[in-house]
Amino acid sequence: MTFLVVDTPSSYNAIIGRPGLNLLEAIVSTRHLLMKFPTRFGVGEVRGDQEVARRCYKTAISDKGKGKVLSIANMELRGDMGPERPQPVEDVLQVPIEEGNTERVLQVGSQLGEAEKEELITFLRDNKDVFAWLAEEVPGIRSEVMVHKLSVDPARPPIRQKKRNFAPERQQAIAEEVSKLMQAGFIQEVHYSDWLANPVLVKKANGK
C-alpha cells in the first residue's frame, strides 16, 4: 500500500481509500467507529473514539485553512517505488577472503583501528567456510532455519496462466537461472495439469 505523505496540518493521521480497505479485506462500520479485518491470529479490530471523531469532523469542515494552496509537483505514484539500498556511512576497504583471490572479497570499514581491522580480517578468513558465493555451495538449509512456501488459500481454485512470450535475452536469463537452480538441487521439475504460473523477472541492484 503506497501512501502519499503531505507536509500540511491535518486532523487525520492517515486516509485509507477503498482500494486499501480491499487489500486489508476490512469491514468498516462508521456508526460503531469500528473496523474489522482478518489476520493470521484471528479477527483484528480497530476502534475509534466518538469525541475524537467529532472533533476531527468539525475541524475538517471548518473554514480554517481555506485559501491555502499546497502545490505538489513531479509526483509519480507509478513505477519503481522500492526503497533505496542503505549506503555505508564511511568508506569501505575491499578485502579478499583468500590471499590472491580478487573475485571473492569482503568489505570492512576504513575507519577501524589497525588492531581492530587486522583482528576482524583474521576472524573473517578463519571462518570463510560460512560464506556462500555460489548456489552450489549451499546444499541445503534446515526448515527450522528458513523455509519458503506459497501462501495459498486452499479454498481458492488453482489458476492456469496463459503462457507468456519473453524477449530472447529474457528467455535466456530464465533458462540460465532455472538450470543453475536445478543443478544445485534447489528446484525440481514437476507437472501440474491445472496450475501454472509464468516466471517473473526482477532487476537486481546491480542492474542485472
Side-chain angles (χ1 to χ4, degrees):
M1 191 183 303
T2 302
F3 285 87
L4 176 62
V5 180
V6 182
D7 184 13
T8 185
S10 174
S11 55
Y12 298 97
N13 293 325
I15 299 176
I16 301 178
R18 291 179 180 175
L21 296 176
N22 289 337
L23 286 175
L24 294 173
E25 301 181 15
I27 302 297
V28 180
S29 174
T30 55
R31 180 179 180 87
H32 302 92
L33 289 181
L34 175 65
M35 181 177 73
K36 291 188 175 184
F37 50 94
T39 71
R40 292 184 302 164
F41 311 102
V43 179
E45 293 184 357
V46 176
R47 294 185 177 272
D49 182 89
Q50 290 280 358
E51 294 183 0
V52 176
R54 191 174 295 111
R55 289 199 302 267
C56 290
Y57 178 72
K58 289 182 178 179
T59 304
I61 63 176
S62 65
D63 294 335
K64 182 180 179 180
K66 284 191 174 181
K68 296 182 179 179
V69 178
L70 180 67
S71 59
I72 302 177
N74 300 327
M75 178 58 64
E76 179 60 48
L77 294 180
R78 292 183 174 88
D80 187 9
M81 297 290 291
E84 296 183 358
R85 293 175 62 89
Q87 300 296 325
V89 296
E90 58 177 301
D91 294 335
V92 294
L93 300 177
Q94 304 288 337
V95 178
I97 196 68
E98 295 176 342
E99 291 291 347
N101 188 350
T102 58
E103 295 183 356
R104 300 184 175 187
V105 296
L106 300 173
Q107 296 179 345
V108 298
S110 60
Q111 297 182 7
L112 289 174
E114 291 298 327
E116 293 178 326
K117 188 185 304 180
E118 292 297 330
E119 184 178 355
L120 177 59
I121 294 174
T122 301
F123 175 80
L124 293 174
R125 287 177 174 174
D126 291 342
N127 296 274
K128 61 183 179 181
D129 58 315
V130 303
F131 296 99
W133 306 93
L134 301 173
E136 294 81 358
E137 298 178 357
V138 188
I141 300 176
R142 298 194 309 274
S143 59
E144 293 84 1
V145 178
M146 182 175 63
V147 65
H148 173 74
K149 66 176 182 179
L150 296 177
S151 182
V152 178
D153 187 351
R156 303 282 183 171
I159 296 177
R160 183 189 305 166
Q161 295 182 357
K162 293 183 178 180
K163 186 177 183 299
R164 185 182 304 166
N165 295 323
F166 294 93
E169 63 274 8
R170 289 174 174 257
Q171 189 66 40
Q172 182 180 357
I174 294 173
E176 291 176 354
E177 188 68 19
V178 170
S179 176
K180 180 175 64 176
L181 294 175
M182 290 188 67
Q183 291 179 4
F186 284 3
I187 61 175
Q188 62 181 356
E189 183 178 3
V190 295
H191 297 277
Y192 293 103
S193 59
D194 55 357
W195 186 86
L196 176 67
N198 286 286
V200 179
L201 280 74
V202 180
K203 184 176 291 187
K204 297 181 180 180
N206 57 9
K208 293 184 178 181

